[in-house]
Amino acid sequence: MKVRTRVAPSPTGDPHVGTAYMALFSLCFARQHGGQFVLRIEDTDVARSTPESEQKILESLRWLGLDWDEGPDKGGPYGPYRQSERKPMYAGYVQTLVDAGHAFPCFCTTERLDEMRREQMQRGETARYDGHCMHLPGAEVASRLANEAHVVRMKVPTQGTCVVQDRLRGEIEIDWAQIDMQVLLKADGNPTYHLAVVVDDHLMEITHIIRGEEWINSAPKHVLLYQYFGWDMPEIIHMPLLRNPDKSKLSKRKNPTSITFYERMGFLPEAVINYLGMLGWSMPDGEEKFTLAQMIEQFDLNRISLGAPVFDIAKLKWLNGRWLREDLDAAAFADKLVAWAYNRKNLLQVIPLIRERVDVFSDLAPLASFLLEGMPAYDESAFNARGASLDEIKRLLQFVVWRTEALHDWQRDPLNQLFVDLAAALDIKIRDLLGPVFVAIAGKPVAPPLFDSMAILGPDMCRARLRHALEVLGGVSKKQLKKLEKDYALLPG
Ligand code: GLU
């Protein structure tokens, strides 16, 4: 059997380290068996998917050296590799299920579904579609299909247990009563993840699905769909989720999760790959430092550990230090450093911002060093230069973090607008808002214009610094956070 694996990210945000983690294990497994590794873009969520996000995912995986054999940029015999371009394929498969009685059109309104769920919850039951549209008479269905918006749902048994075979975890038993009658086709004609993932893994002849454990509870739906279609199910391997140091699921609220952040911080891709490998797996000799090639050579699914892997930046930094010291001679160090920061593209972004203020080249470093830094060393007193209280400053910084999380177009003018709007919403002077932000971003009161600098630093680095500033100022307690969330929700705009 030829092994085919895939990574299937949804392009709905920053390129997540979790995607790289799944890609790494999928790639190692495929390579070790002389098989193929596929990149598929799961952009069925039309409202949240963006081409920019897809672009960044591709660039990040490439930067890490996780090269795929087939994908949206490369094509291949099983294309297209973007689900939005496969849209016409799915309806036929759904129709097959409807014709066989495994799926049915559902006309229920959101209001009815909300009401149904509310009642189920009140009775202490699992919220689950109640089958209302499953038994409508054929004639009624035919006439409503022509005139009413509808989705298509799959039928799911109400009793018994589904057994999911997981290559690492063995048999996982899940009661059917816990599984909803999943929507397969949305009202706009787009497939849901559950339908598209099954159809595409089948059509792309994927033999092994390696994905995060957050998908375990969806596996029964997939098992059932494979049965309904009469297809062989690929083997599934649910990898343990990456965690924050407090053991919660790795989230950008607690840790930078974007691969571009690690690139920007000056980590080596080899070290990031090594670290991700080390989090879920170990070399037979226990050596912690290894290359991708070594990992592929020694790869063995049985050495994957199911314990909760904690993504610890301090450990990653330690490992990166080893890579810098042990693997780069001075010449290689110089080349990588130039490529990282002192390349023409970067300099051409920075120079227009500082040339007016520079008389000699040596004036440059003090002005622009913050563009090359990671987390600046803050002088706490710089934050309240205008006399605001510490709590007030933290409140502003937290609000800025939240506002910027919702900003998709990270450029000077939209950033400018964001601060104008936020100051207006808070009814404060713009400079009282920008003062602490300036210090958080630049680390000092004198620096090039803020919005240009933020545009160059990018969203991950800016948010990481804003969060770091919050920490340095004493952090925000859970109680304070609750209160801030309430205040924030009440802000106009
Ligand atoms: N699109 C899903 C995700 O982004 C893929 C899950 C899977 O691998 O099946 O997590």
Side-chain angles (χ1 to χ4, degrees), residues 253-254 256 261 373-384 389-401 433-444 450 454 460-477 480 484:
R253 312 228 150 194
K254 304 212 169 138
F261 171 81
E373 263 174 343
M375 297 305 122
Y378 296 122
D379 169 8
E380 252 184 71
S381 63
F383 284 98
N384 56 357
S389 73
L390 206 60
D391 279 346
E392 179 57 15
I393 291 164
K394 288 199 270 187
R395 176 165 171 265
L396 296 180
L397 292 177
Q398 184 62 63
F399 285 1
V400 171
V401 170
L433 173 62
L434 293 184
V437 176
F438 201 98
V439 178
I441 297 296
K444 55 188 169 207
L450 179 65
M454 287 181 77
D460 308 310
M461 182 58 90
C462 289
R463 279 193 291 260
R465 288 191 189 175
L466 289 162
R467 284 204 192 89
H468 182 59
L470 278 165
E471 285 308 310
V472 169
L473 294 174
V476 183
S477 70
Q480 285 169 321
L484 289 179

Side-chain angles (χ1 to χ4, degrees), residues 6-12 19 22 40-43 83 193 197 201 209-212 214-215 222:
R6 55 38 167 206
V7 68
S10 298
T12 54
T19 300
M22 294 312 151
R40 182 173 71 228
I41 293 294
E42 302 209 324
D43 54 353
Q83 287 182 330
Y193 157 72
V197 78
D201 283 338
I209 297 173
I210 299 179
R211 65 178 173 200
E214 76 264 39
W215 296 106
H222 305 173

